[in-house]
Structures are given as structure tokens and as C-alpha cells.
Amino acid sequence: MGFKTIAQLVGISEEKRTTISSVVLDHEKEISGQSTEDLLGKMGKTWQVMKDSMEKGIEKPQIPMGGLVMGASSKIGAALKKGRLAGDRL
């Protein structure tokens, strides 16, 4: 049940009458051999690290070592407060 494009992913989802996230989760279980619980647990931990990192960057902006994103967290935070991003999704 592999897919290489978004169109293929959407097609599989429609064919199986399920969500795209379910198709992706089933695919990941198939290729990794991990359980749903293990995968969701890892995703939860990754999400928490990302969220904590962004919140830290909003509260105390820093210049990153590589200098590539230059205060992106504070800019995203300001846009969120003004309602200019994806609402509650971020």
C-alpha cells in the first residue's frame, strides 16, 4: 500500500473510505513493524519537543547558531496573535 504522491495518498484514502492520517499511520506500521501505540507515542513526544521549542523561541528570541531562520518563532507567534495563520491548528 505504498504511495509516492499526494494524489495517490488521497486516492487510497477515498478508496478505503478512511482518513489520510489513517492511511499514513497504516503505511508507517507496515514499513516500521511498530504498533499504533508506539508510533503515536513517538509522534506525541516529537510534537511536544516542537511545541516547547517554539514556545521557548517566542518567549525568549535567540539568534540560531546557523543564522538561517533568524527569530522565526517570534514572527510566527506574532502572526498567530493577529490571527494571520492557521487558527488553532498551530
Side-chain angles (χ1 to χ4, degrees):
M1 175 199 47
F3 50 88
K4 293 186 186 246
T5 67
I6 294 296
Q8 289 175 335
L9 178 57
V10 170
I12 293 167
S13 174
E14 289 173 348
E15 181 182 305
K16 292 187 171 210
R17 298 178 187 258
T18 189
T19 62
I20 289 172
S21 59
S22 291
V23 173
V24 172
L25 185 59
D26 288 344
H27 179 70
E28 187 62 28
K29 285 170 37 179
E30 184 179 305
I31 63 173
S32 72
Q34 296 179 62
S35 69
T36 298
E37 293 76 21
D38 287 344
L39 290 169
L40 293 178
K42 288 179 182 181
M43 288 169 48
K45 288 177 185 174
T46 299
W47 166 245
Q48 192 61 53
V49 168
M50 292 167 59
K51 186 177 174 206
D52 292 347
S53 177
M54 185 170 167
E55 288 172 354
K56 181 180 175 184
I58 291 169
E59 291 170 11
K60 187 177 176 188
Q62 296 178 342
I63 297 174
M65 291 190 323
L68 295 176
V69 291
M70 301 303 286
S73 293
S74 59
K75 291 175 187 173
I76 291 170
L80 277 171
K81 287 178 184 173
K82 293 179 182 178
R84 294 191 296 175
L85 287 179
D88 293 343
R89 294 177 189 215
L90 294 178

